[in-house]
Amino acid sequence: MKNYLLSLIAVIVLALIAYVGAEAATWPQYVFGIIIPYLAMTIFIMGTIRKILGWARSPVPFRIPSTCGQQKSLPWIKQSKIDNPFTFFGVIVRMVLEVFLFRSLFRNTKCKMSKGGKIFFDLEKWLWVGAIVFHWSFLVVLLRHLRFFTNPVPGCIQFLEQVDGFIQIGLPGIFLSGFALVAGAVFLLVRRIVIPQVRYISLASDYFPLFLIIGIALTGILMRYFTKVDIVGAKEILMGLVTFHPSISANINGIFYVHLFLVSILLVYIPFSKLMHMGGIFFSPTRNLANNSRAVRHINPWNYPVKVHTYDEYEDDYREKMIEAGLPVEKE
Amino acid sequence: MSDELLKPDELIANIEPAPPRKGWMDTPINIRKGMYCYASNHKSVASLDLPNARPWNPLEDDWKLPENWKDIIFNGFRERLDKFRSFKVFMDICVRCGACADKCHFFIGSGDPKNMPVLRAELLRSIYRNDFTTAGKVFGKMVGAREMTMDVLKEWWYYLFQCTECRRCSVFCPYGIDTAEITIMGRELLNLLGLNIDWIATPIANCNRTGNHLGIQPHAFKDMLDFFVEDIEEITGITVEPQYNKKGADILFITPSGDVFADPGTYTCMGYMLYFHFLKEKYGLDVTWSTYASEGGNFGLFTSHEMMKRLNSKMYAEAKRLGVKWILGGECGHMWRVINQYMDTMNGPTDFMEEPVSPITGTKFENAKSTKMVHIAEFTADLIKHGKLDLDKSRNDHLKVTFHDSCNPARAMGMLDEPRYVINNVCNHFYEMPSNTIREQTFCCGSGAGLNAGENLELRMMGGLPRANAVKHVHEKYGVNTLSCVCAIDRAALPPLMEYWVPEVEVNGLHEMVANALIIPGENERTTDLRGEPLAGMEGDDVE
Ligand code: SF4
Ligand code: SF4
């Protein structure tokens, strides 16, 4: 079966399980509303910590930054301080630009060849645009959701909501981020299926989180704009979770549980998958090190002595010939 | 060039337009002639005490591996995950976005999807998932895990020796995943089973024994330079006197032996000799060559970290024995990756030398104060900036020059503007190739990381296609006839590439042009360059 169909079906099945379960009786609501979220959060936290400690445990024996600009050398040669950092500060700027603006991805080009075999490089910013829209809207949506976990809701979150919801068409006001998230995820998905090379490298485990996130976003949109979930009830459940006084609410329907269940799945999925890239970028030695290993000695904790062919052995091999050729030797 | 090699247009027509319908895990490996290098010679492997020395042939079914080869790979994999954070992180975080795919010259030139950096890495990652991750163990193929088999191993060997460790992919990856680093690890694992190629195995064996990759013994090394002394005398009327293994010299000069051995690198070597003569006569600069450390390059980098360290150790050992103040390094690509990113860590600290200072200008090379090794382009740029060289640019007027950034000085060091500054000061006609093909985005010569053999010419020509294409562009637009570079491997690899794709362009070295332009006290009027080619306006009466 096609990878993406497999992933799509998996997400639909998961959603149905939660929906049918929560609509059928009350007890599954305890499962989907309390037990699974706690379990998921625990796995997420433990799994993430384990992964990060795992990375941290392996040392960085060599300084291997990818230098993407002029090195620091002679004082009158202009160094590229960000793309080829020499100092810790430079590294920080490079990392910030990488993490928040996807600087490396911004370089993206597309290679094309004409009939005559001439190669061109077109700027290809769509992947960057898609990735930026997707990740930033995800972050905004996430932060907005803090309103369900805090009481009173902090001012900055309220402000974010106002900015995010500046378009007012009827009630409730529209949050741009939710739609942007769907658009970004759909773009990344379509691109994965349509571009032959990307389809070729894509695994079921690449499609799955995209479908999952689209599912989460769509159920969220459904609740807010269409089924008009009982916000007070929802907040009660969620506040209950974070204050460790879990409860369920009678006015909450199945869609809410689908949303929550898919989020739980995502949480569990993160530490065991490529979604750890959000943590991994900070550990990437080609980006997070200064290119100064000629000026400051980098220490390798497991550096060990190796067998070398010494000068004395070399001279023993060739002494006669060296003397004959007039080359200086240690032992005549 | 071999007769069997495809014509350029055939090679272009052969580029696969799209990946096959069948998934990559189900596409069997097909080791194709022209694309692979011969197996390591067992004598070379044995002389270095590396594992599993025996004659073998990649085309045969039986690769003569030890019984427990899967355990060796498994344990070797685990050991490297524990020792290298880079490896561990890169195994985990690739999102398969494909941004790196069409950045690799081998993919552009072949269309073979397994030459996309991401897929090259997935060849190892699939085994990693299977052996070391929970998800891989539970979900198997769905999450891209597969078991290690003989076919997988062959696939590793075939495709890891179709990567020149150029790091172009890492520039574009949003997480900086460096497929070169993964290739390095993969090649280390292969070497645990004695699966090297001979174009690497024999040079490292040579280097270990004789001090250089080409196996030139000390007396022969001197003979070869003496031969250049005569050539230089013929062209300039000047007798240069290179010094060898001289104790107490100020500076030890180390450069790749390739430039001593074969044209057109030899002209760069002559350039160095003339240049050092000038500096000695005018400023008393005391430079010595070494026959023990007669190799700047380090094919150990293409074998294993340990091998790299073994070979590299000679540089500091020799500097210490001779008691020099610091080391000057010649033009070479991967040599400078080793010096910039590994040498001091592996074989330092170097308290027996001084922080490098140019005795002529007094400039302190702050950026090299720990390794104590300065690149000759840095050194020369500083001299020119201080007006210490007497240069007649017009002596390079017969050259219309473009500059090839070698992968390693560009992406593992960042030496971009020093050579350009020198070029602009020694010649009048310099034209850059398009911006997506130079500096940190430079394209590989297609023959790096030990792939510069004769039997894999088709691979080299396809890998060099993007580079050649850019040269062709400036050749057609500006009449460029010279491709300059700061790398001895390039000087061996680029000439056949040019002959194949852009036959009108010759390859030279930076310090060949410096020496052409250098006005040396007491020299005859120059009518030719170091190659014996007439200078502009000196072509004789019958020309023009
Ligand atoms: S660019 Fe980086 S993350 Fe994207 S596919 Fe290539 S290696 Fe993976
Ligand atoms: S390092 Fe260079 S040759 Fe190797 S995969 Fe990356 S781009 Fe290709």
Side-chain angles (χ1 to χ4, degrees):
Chain A
M1 196 177 357
K2 290 253 189 302
N3 278 339
Y4 50 88
L5 287 181
L6 197 72
S7 301
L8 175 62
I9 291 170
V11 172
I12 292 176
V13 168
L14 288 170
L16 282 177
I17 291 175
Y19 188 76
V20 173
E23 290 281 296
T26 315
W27 67 264
Q29 298 189 0
Y30 287 96
V31 177
F32 291 111
I34 298 171
I35 299 177
I36 289 180
Y38 273 133
L39 215 59
M41 204 60 197
T42 315
I43 295 176
F44 169 72
I45 293 172
M46 304 292 280
T48 304
I49 292 178
R50 204 191 83 184
K51 189 95 244 175
I52 288 187
L53 287 182
W55 289 333
R57 206 166 34 236
S58 293
V60 181
F62 303 107
R63 213 157 251 265
I64 53 162
S66 310
T67 57
C68 301
Q70 171 62 38
Q71 67 167 349
K72 175 178 153 67
S73 72
L74 299 162
W76 47 272
I77 290 181
K78 192 165 174 290
Q79 182 211 347
S80 171
K81 292 204 164 87
I82 297 170
D83 290 318
N84 192 346
F86 188 79
T87 59
F88 185 59
F89 181 73
V91 170
I92 290 188
V93 177
R94 187 182 200 190
M95 287 302 290
V96 164
L97 292 175
E98 203 64 271
V99 170
F100 291 105
L101 294 176
F102 308 170
R103 186 176 171 87
S104 292
L105 201 56
F106 192 70
R107 290 193 185 98
N108 197 27
T109 53
K110 190 166 168 39
C111 178
K112 286 192 184 146
M113 196 181 283
S114 75
K115 280 239 160 53
K118 208 166 163 50
I119 296 175
F120 297 93
F121 303 93
D122 289 347
L123 284 183
E124 211 291 307
K125 299 286 183 231
W126 288 111
L127 176 57
W128 180 82
V129 171
I132 283 280
V133 167
F134 174 77
H135 286 88
W136 275 101
S137 56
F138 203 145
L139 182 67
V140 171
V141 169
L142 212 66
L143 291 176
R144 256 202 302 105
H145 275 67
L146 286 180
R147 86 148 29 251
F148 296 108
F149 298 96
T150 46
N151 212 355
V153 179
C156 51
I157 301 295
Q158 295 186 8
F159 176 71
L160 184 71
E161 278 184 352
Q162 274 169 22
V163 176
D164 193 11
F166 76 97
I167 303 179
Q168 280 280 356
I169 319 170
L171 276 174
I174 290 183
F175 283 141
L176 223 48
S177 56
F179 295 95
L181 177 59
V182 176
V186 168
F187 170 80
L188 293 179
L189 182 67
V190 169
R191 164 178 187 282
R192 222 177 242 298
I193 298 174
V194 170
I195 302 176
Q197 277 92 7
V198 187
R199 183 172 62 231
Y200 194 69
I201 58 176
S202 294
L203 304 166
S205 53
D206 295 320
Y207 294 109
F208 180 72
L210 284 170
F211 282 119
L212 197 60
I213 290 167
I214 292 173
I216 291 169
L218 287 181
T219 46
I221 288 174
L222 207 61
M223 276 189 286
R224 180 172 167 82
Y225 304 101
F226 301 98
T227 67
K228 310 267 163 94
V229 72
D230 168 21
I231 298 212
V232 179
K235 181 153 182 175
E236 235 167 65
I237 296 182
L238 296 170
M239 281 304 288
L241 285 174
V242 288
T243 53
F244 295 103
H245 293 102
S247 65
I248 56 163
S249 166
N251 298 331
I252 295 298
N253 64 11
I255 296 290
F256 173 82
Y257 288 105
V258 175
H259 190 69
L260 192 58
F261 184 54
L262 295 185
V263 169
S264 303
I265 299 282
L266 183 64
L267 284 174
V268 173
Y269 190 77
I270 289 172
F272 301 98
S273 70
K274 66 167 191 178
L275 298 192
M276 277 308 289
H277 65 268
M278 63 170 143
I281 171 88
F282 293 96
F283 286 84
S284 178
T286 60
R287 292 291 184 275
N288 70 8
L289 290 170
N291 176 36
N292 62 0
S293 38
R294 268 205 293 159
V296 184
R297 182 163 182 252
H298 179 87
I299 303 293
N300 171 4
W302 50 260
N303 197 15
Y304 58 95
V306 296
K307 191 169 176 291
V308 295
H309 192 66
T310 63
Y311 176 81
D312 290 338
E313 289 165 326
Y314 168 87
E315 196 182 291
D316 286 348
D317 288 349
Y318 300 114
R319 186 167 298 111
E320 306 298 301
K321 290 170 173 167
M322 289 174 78
I323 293 172
E324 208 173 304
L327 293 169
V329 288
E330 297 277 339
K331 289 186 227 149
E332 290 288 337
Chain B
M1 230 166 264
S2 87
D3 310 329
E4 297 158 43
L5 188 62
L6 298 172
K7 301 266 167 307
D9 46 344
E10 292 170 333
L11 198 141
I12 288 180
N14 269 2
I15 297 176
E16 295 173 37
R21 297 190 68 86
K22 243 215 230 130
W24 63 268
M25 283 196 200
D26 305 317
T27 309
I29 168 81
N30 168 26
I31 298 184
R32 197 156 67 72
K33 214 163 154 261
M35 298 290 286
Y36 77 95
C37 298
Y38 296 149
S40 40
N41 182 322
H42 64 283
K43 288 184 199 136
S44 302
V45 178
S47 80
L48 293 162
D49 302 317
L50 295 176
N52 203 19
R54 83 283 172 222
W56 68 288
N57 181 348
L59 294 184
E60 282 168 14
D61 279 342
D62 181 9
W63 281 15
K64 302 185 189 155
L65 302 180
E67 199 95 328
N68 61 338
W69 70 266
K70 283 189 190 173
D71 295 334
I72 297 177
I73 293 285
F74 177 83
N75 291 328
F77 212 123
R78 185 169 52 200
E79 186 190 337
R80 279 157 190 82
L81 290 170
D82 289 342
K83 279 172 135 179
F84 295 89
R85 185 179 298 166
S86 53
F87 193 34
K88 215 183 217 177
V89 171
F90 294 165
M91 284 294 106
D92 278 330
I93 63 172
C94 170
V95 297
R96 284 165 298 284
C97 67
C100 57
D102 58 357
K103 309 304 179 286
C104 177
H105 49 286
F106 284 119
F107 177 65
I108 295 174
S110 69
D112 180 347
K114 285 181 185 159
N115 267 327
M116 293 191 259
V118 44
L119 215 46
R120 200 188 308 285
E122 289 284 303
L123 299 180
L124 270 82
R125 232 176 246 132
S126 51
I127 302 305
Y128 165 76
R129 294 194 194 102
N130 188 69
D131 291 357
F132 301 100
T133 71
T134 324
K137 283 181 184 138
V138 179
F139 293 104
K141 209 175 158 183
M142 260 193 288
V143 293
R146 61 171 175 174
E147 262 183 55
M148 190 72 194
T149 63
M150 199 55 217
D151 277 344
V152 172
L153 188 71
K154 290 186 174 182
E155 207 175 36
W156 279 15
W157 185 81
Y158 190 57
Y159 287 104
L160 295 180
F161 289 103
Q162 287 187 25
C163 166
T164 45
E165 302 180 4
C166 77
R167 312 188 97 196
R168 191 166 192 270
C169 45
S170 87
V171 168
F172 294 90
C173 173
Y175 316 113
I177 294 176
D178 183 7
T179 305
E181 181 78 358
I182 295 170
T183 296
I184 289 173
M185 299 300 161
R187 288 189 182 186
E188 278 203 24
L189 293 174
L190 290 170
N191 268 283
L192 296 177
L193 303 177
L195 299 175
N196 206 342
I197 60 173
D198 200 46
W199 224 78
I200 298 173
T202 294
I204 54 178
N206 284 341
C207 193
N208 186 54
R209 186 171 39 93
T210 65
N212 57 70
H213 289 148
L214 293 158
I216 309 167
Q217 299 185 4
H219 55 292
F221 190 84
K222 179 168 180 290
D223 273 355
M224 293 168 107
L225 292 201
D226 282 349
F227 192 70
F228 300 149
V229 172
E230 288 170 27
D231 284 353
I232 292 171
E233 193 168 345
E234 224 163 86
I235 293 162
T236 64
I238 298 236
T239 314
V240 303
E241 288 171 348
Q243 316 188 97
Y244 306 93
N245 304 351
K246 184 189 170 194
K247 285 200 173 175
D250 289 338
I251 292 169
L252 168 62
F253 179 64
I254 302 179
T255 203
S257 61
D259 280 345
V260 177
F261 186 72
D263 292 350
T266 47
Y267 304 116
T268 303
C269 189
M270 287 161 64
Y272 294 143
M273 293 165 74
L274 203 52
Y275 181 44
F276 293 147
H277 170 85
F278 169 87
L279 295 177
K280 177 150 200 203
E281 293 298 302
K282 191 140 185 206
Y283 303 108
L285 192 76
D286 190 7
V287 177
T288 183
W289 298 67
S290 161
T291 59
Y292 172 64
S294 49
E295 181 58 65
N298 190 331
F299 277 28
L301 169 65
F302 312 140
T303 306
S304 67
H305 287 86
E306 180 169 315
M307 202 60 232
M308 174 182 7
K309 180 171 171 177
R310 284 171 72 177
L311 298 182
N312 175 257
S313 66
K314 295 185 182 190
M315 292 192 182
Y316 282 158
E318 186 68 339
K320 190 169 185 180
R321 186 180 75 87
L322 298 177
V324 298
K325 294 196 177 110
W326 50 272
I327 311 174
L328 183 66
E331 300 177 15
C332 179
H334 73 286
M335 159 183 174
W336 276 94
R337 172 154 197 205
V338 174
I339 293 165
N340 187 45
Q341 303 198 320
Y342 300 102
M343 173 153 86
D344 200 9
T345 302
M346 286 182 162
N347 289 311
T350 51
D351 30 28
F352 49 86
M353 284 193 275
E354 294 172 13
E355 290 183 11
V357 176
S358 170
I360 301 166
T361 62
T363 300
K364 278 192 189 152
F365 295 97
E366 297 276 355
N367 62 329
K369 67 176 181 231
S370 182
T371 23
K372 303 181 173 74
M373 187 145 177
V374 176
H375 195 292
I376 193 160
E378 297 168 340
F379 182 71
T380 304
D382 174 63
L383 287 178
I384 294 176
K385 182 80 181 174
H386 286 84
K388 300 292 182 188
L389 301 186
D390 310 320
L391 298 165
D392 176 0
K393 278 173 132 178
S394 71
R395 288 187 192 165
N396 282 315
D397 275 356
H398 59 309
L399 308 179
K400 292 205 163 46
V401 182
T402 191
F403 180 69
H404 163 67
D405 288 278
S406 305
C407 305
N408 286 298
R411 288 186 283 261
M413 184 177 179
M415 192 184 72
L416 307 171
D417 286 326
E418 297 88 340
R420 285 178 169 77
Y421 179 79
V422 175
I423 290 178
N424 278 315
N425 278 282
V426 298
C427 66
N428 285 313
H429 310 295
F430 174 54
Y431 306 92
E432 289 277 19
M433 286 181 273
S435 64
N436 285 309
T437 69
I438 53 168
R439 299 176 76 91
E440 76 278 3
Q441 300 199 16
T442 186
F443 272 109
C444 183
C445 60
S447 308
L451 305 187
N452 198 13
E455 60 271 18
N456 63 339
L457 214 51
E458 185 179 336
L459 174 75
R460 290 172 49 196
M461 295 304 114
M462 66 172 60
L465 171 63
R467 168 39 77 227
N469 226 269
V471 176
K472 192 167 181 179
H473 176 78
V474 284
H475 169 66
E476 282 164 1
K477 196 162 171 195
Y478 307 110
V480 161
N481 61 11
T482 304
L483 177 58
S484 192
C485 57
V486 281
C487 175
I489 301 272
D490 279 330
R491 285 189 278 273
L494 290 173
L497 187 75
M498 290 300 111
E499 196 190 318
Y500 187 78
W501 293 110
V502 208
E504 303 82 3
V505 174
E506 300 222 17
V507 179
N508 79 6
L510 186 62
H511 282 79
E512 178 186 343
M513 292 192 292
V514 170
N516 275 343
L518 203 58
I519 302 166
I520 300 167
E523 70 182 348
N524 299 340
E525 190 201 354
R526 297 235 205 141
T527 54
T528 71
D529 61 13
L530 289 181
R531 301 183 177 207
E533 307 274 340
L535 299 184
M538 298 278 188
E539 292 90 346
D541 298 336
D542 45 338
V543 194
E544 285 190 55

